[in-house]
Amino acid sequence: MQIETITTNPYNDQNPGTSGLRKKVKVFQQPGYLENFVQSIFDSLEDFSGKTLVLGGDGRYFNRVAIQIIIKIAAANGFGELIIGEGGLLSTPAASNIIRKYNAFGGLILSASHNPGGPDEDFGIKYNVSNGGPAPEKYTGAFFQRSQTISSYKTAKIEDVDLDRIGSQQIGELKITIIDPVTDYAELMQSIFDFNLLKQSISSGYITLLFDAMSAITGPYAKRILVDMLGAAPSSVINAEPLENFGGHHPDPNLAHAHELAERMFSADAPTFGAASDGDGDRNMITGSNIFVTPSDSLAIMAANARLIPAYVKGLSGVARSMPTSQAVDRVAAKYNIPCYETPTGWKFFGNLLDAGKITLCGEESFGTGSDHVREKDGLWAVLFWLNLIAVKRQSVADIVHEHWQKFGRDIYCRHDYEAVETPIANSIVEHLRNQLPTLPGQSFGEYIVKYADEFSYEDPIDGSISNNQGMRIGFENGSRIVFRLSGTGTVGATLRIYIERFEADATRHDQDSQEALAELIILAEQLCEIKKRTGRTEPNVIT
Ligand code: G1P
Ligand code: ZN
């Protein structure tokens, strides 16, 4: 194999965010941009010669081009085998599973998750380590550092690989294996859930379902598992064809973006269960006939009922949630006397806890839930968990949710996102909030008395690493919270996220609309951060 060393100049913006490096496609198309970043990753890793790298993406625009480039750089850098999903496709949780199952050294996943795709939209790349999870900060920091000084990259002079032909081929020292992207993942799901019960519940008509793949990666996975294996009607999977531009939509599973699903689920002839996933298949939105389950509630309900699922019958070793996720799961953990961890935003912070066996389930308010079966959040896993729960409990989604609130109380929750705020304004807002923190404790705002106001720092209980500046928390005496943080995944300006929650113990008040129930806190959040005042905006871009 002939290897070339190509001279290059560093780019100064290759700092990975919450989940890998995400930029506009046009940025990635600059000469050497992708090559520099991939070489920076390989330069920061050690002892991978002859080992296996997993490669795949969500199929968005530039996926195939990027995969051919990466194959050549990986070959030149001495990997022994590349395992690639057919068509260059692998969902994020499936890639995590492949890395673990085949003892790979790591993997590169090409995705900008729920961000739109197409020539003028977003692309992304992230590196996952040998446990199958996103590279921790010590790695991503090293990648960035290396990208600042890189002066050349290596590439092998080989033909483009046919990504659409399953099987192995040897090119010099390198073995390239193209696999079916779904089979291993489907087997894993079969080992976790009661597929026989699910088949019966679906064929008897007890469960009717609708899954929106949002023209993204989960289409082939949902068709194989829900339709072929579990017997759901083919029409129960919509937008099932992965498209390079996701049909022009945001492949983001929330009520705003999964509008086709939302309309059906809130109509008179709604199926019993509805769900959607995102661009790369790690997120999930759960709905039932005329009800939307917040991701924070979904995590708590899963934790409270985990023993009903075959893989978790022995109970949970612990649970974790990201800091801005509501405290609903904390109440479950307290009741069942299991440890509960609060981590910074981003799945990478769950990895050590999962590896050490400290937690079995974890989740984020941003439509992410998962367990120790892989090291990523997992959209279809969450869908199957809920289906299995409905089948065992023989209750509707609405009944399961209401019963849970009756037992534990309801953590009424919402998130307001202000997107593409000019960076200087966003920074001034953060500064303004930061300056207020020391003065807030003890202050009263109507019925809300501030108990604490701080900037969240996390010390990893396993490796002792410390992550500072993970968002500002304002906690009130009555358990309510307002959290502010800047997004680490956006590609234009800055996105301010405001997370608001209030606990309601009184079951007669559980059916309130969340925006109404949180109205006072929403006003207070504006008073504290002045986003509307400083940007002239009148409302958030997205409310979830
Ligand atoms: C967002 C979510 C976060 C999630 C990440 C990747 O990050 O808020 O919970 O882990 O996407 O899916 P953010 O843009 O807030 O940094
Ligand atoms: Zn995603």
Side-chain angles (χ1 to χ4, degrees):
M1 190 186 304
Q2 196 189 331
I3 291 167
E4 288 183 311
T5 301
I6 313 281
T7 309
T8 189
N9 290 313
Y11 288 91
N12 64 9
D13 63 347
Q14 298 196 320
N15 197 6
T18 314
S19 183
L21 184 69
R22 281 189 204 171
K23 301 283 174 196
K24 291 285 169 207
V25 166
K26 296 245 153 43
V27 173
F28 270 103
Q29 286 169 327
Q30 297 172 93
Y33 193 90
L34 174 66
E35 291 85 344
N36 278 12
F37 189 64
V38 173
Q39 185 67 54
S40 298
I41 292 174
F42 295 159
D43 284 349
S44 312
L45 303 173
E46 281 167 10
D47 295 332
F48 57 79
S49 177
K51 297 199 175 142
T52 302
L53 183 75
V54 173
L55 187 53
D58 63 11
R60 68 179 58 226
Y61 184 84
F62 200 55
N63 192 56
R64 281 178 178 263
V65 176
I67 286 189
Q68 299 293 353
I69 293 173
I70 295 169
I71 290 172
K72 291 169 187 143
I73 301 178
N77 279 271
F79 278 96
E81 181 173 7
L82 300 180
I83 300 182
I84 307 171
E86 185 187 11
L89 299 179
L90 278 178
S91 79
T92 288
S96 182
N97 177 46
I98 302 280
I99 295 171
R100 296 166 67 76
K101 183 166 176 179
Y102 297 105
N103 296 315
F105 182 80
L108 284 169
I109 304 176
L110 309 180
S111 171
S113 188
H114 50 287
N115 297 11
D120 296 315
E121 298 294 354
D122 293 354
F123 188 75
I125 172 166
K126 65 175 177 174
Y127 179 71
N128 281 28
V129 294
S130 60
N131 73 354
E137 280 184 332
K138 65 171 190 267
Y139 285 82
T140 53
F143 304 160
F144 177 51
Q145 279 223 323
R146 178 63 190 141
S147 75
Q148 300 292 284
T149 57
I150 190 165
S151 58
S152 65
Y153 63 87
K154 282 192 270 185
T155 181
K157 283 198 93 170
I158 52 174
E159 295 287 308
D160 275 3
V161 171
D162 181 355
L163 299 175
D164 301 307
R165 208 177 44 192
I166 289 177
S168 293
Q169 55 176 303
Q170 194 72 33
I171 305 179
E173 302 283 276
L174 178 70
K175 183 177 175 194
I176 295 186
T177 304
I178 309 286
I179 57 163
D180 176 88
V182 181
T183 305
D184 295 284
Y185 179 81
E187 272 173 21
L188 177 65
M189 293 302 111
Q190 225 171 348
S191 73
I192 296 174
F193 301 106
D194 189 342
F195 270 40
N196 286 331
L197 176 67
L198 284 173
K199 264 192 270 185
Q200 280 165 22
S201 306
I202 290 171
S203 67
S204 68
Y206 181 72
I207 293 179
T208 51
L209 65 107
L210 186 64
F211 178 81
D212 188 348
M214 305 194 80
S215 308
I217 190 75
T218 46
Y221 293 84
K223 279 203 280 192
R224 179 88 59 87
I225 297 171
L226 301 177
V227 179
D228 300 348
M229 296 170 81
L230 297 177
S235 60
S236 44
V237 181
I238 55 172
N239 299 313
E241 210 55 55
L243 301 176
E244 285 198 333
N245 70 348
F246 308 120
H249 302 298
H250 275 257
D252 198 1
N254 57 45
L255 290 175
H257 292 308
H259 53 87
E260 200 176 336
L261 176 89
E263 265 165 42
R264 291 273 300 278
M265 294 312 297
F266 287 87
S267 71
D269 62 345
T272 47
F273 178 81
S277 190
D278 71 330
D280 61 330
D282 57 358
R283 293 188 174 201
N284 72 88
M285 175 175 73
I286 302 295
T287 65
S289 173
N290 288 290
I291 184 167
F292 160 74
V293 187
T294 70
S296 296
D297 279 346
S298 176
L299 174 64
I301 291 167
M302 285 180 175
N305 294 286
R307 281 176 184 272
L308 301 177
I309 306 292
Y312 312 109
V313 288
K314 294 207 180 105
L316 307 174
S317 61
V319 291
R321 62 162 170 86
S322 68
M323 182 273 280
T325 303
S326 96
Q327 299 160 86
V329 74
D330 305 31
R331 301 181 204 288
V332 176
K335 186 168 177 84
Y336 295 125
N337 206 14
I338 54 175
C340 179
Y341 299 85
E342 183 179 42
T343 58
T345 297
W347 211 260
K348 57 181 175 249
F349 294 101
F350 295 132
N352 280 345
L353 294 168
L354 288 164
D355 283 351
K358 300 271 184 209
I359 59 171
T360 313
L361 288 189
C362 46
E364 297 193 273
E365 52 63 43
S366 53
F367 298 83
T369 4
S371 89
D372 57 1
H373 68 290
V374 286
R375 293 295 179 271
E376 289 279 6
K377 54 187 179 257
D378 190 343
L380 270 167
W381 168 88
V383 169
L384 292 166
F385 196 119
W386 267 92
L387 287 172
N388 204 152
L389 216 55
I390 295 166
V392 176
K393 287 173 86 81
R394 296 201 64 90
Q395 279 181 311
S396 69
V397 174
D399 285 349
I400 293 175
V401 171
H402 282 104
E403 190 185 88
H404 184 88
W405 287 344
Q406 257 164 28
K407 203 160 165 189
F408 295 94
R410 176 179 174 195
D411 290 85
I412 306 174
Y413 186 84
C414 78
R415 179 177 112 180
H416 288 196
D417 292 341
Y418 290 84
E419 294 173 348
V421 177
E422 285 169 53
T423 308
I425 299 184
N427 290 339
S428 78
I429 289 171
V430 168
E431 233 5 78
H432 176 64
L433 280 167
R434 193 170 278 141
N435 292 338
Q436 292 173 77
L437 292 178
T439 67
L440 289 174
Q443 280 196 49
S444 306
F445 301 90
E447 62 174 293
Y448 296 97
I449 305 163
V450 178
K451 188 171 174 189
Y452 61 88
D454 63 11
E455 216 158 338
F456 183 57
S457 283
Y458 178 67
E459 182 178 344
D460 186 292
I462 312 301
D463 67 16
S465 59
I466 294 185
S467 303
N468 291 319
N469 301 327
Q470 298 295 325
M472 284 174 255
R473 307 187 290 187
I474 297 163
F476 300 91
E477 295 288 354
N478 61 7
S480 301
R481 287 197 315 172
I482 304 177
V483 172
F484 300 92
R485 64 176 279 284
L486 289 182
S487 155
T489 59
T491 54
V492 184
T495 294
L496 180 72
R497 304 201 195 285
I498 307 176
Y499 311 79
I500 298 169
E501 70 182 285
R502 178 166 84 71
F503 180 62
E504 180 61 74
D506 179 355
T508 63
R509 294 160 62 93
H510 282 166
D511 272 327
Q512 297 175 81
D513 171 75
S514 57
Q515 297 306 298
E516 280 165 27
L518 299 170
E520 275 180 82
L521 285 167
I522 292 170
I523 293 170
L524 178 51
E526 169 61 19
Q527 210 175 308
L528 292 167
C529 77
E530 299 181 346
I531 176 100
K532 288 184 181 154
K533 189 170 152 199
R534 287 170 188 244
T535 58
R537 300 193 187 193
T538 52
E539 54 182 23
N541 300 75
V542 188
I543 298 179
T544 47

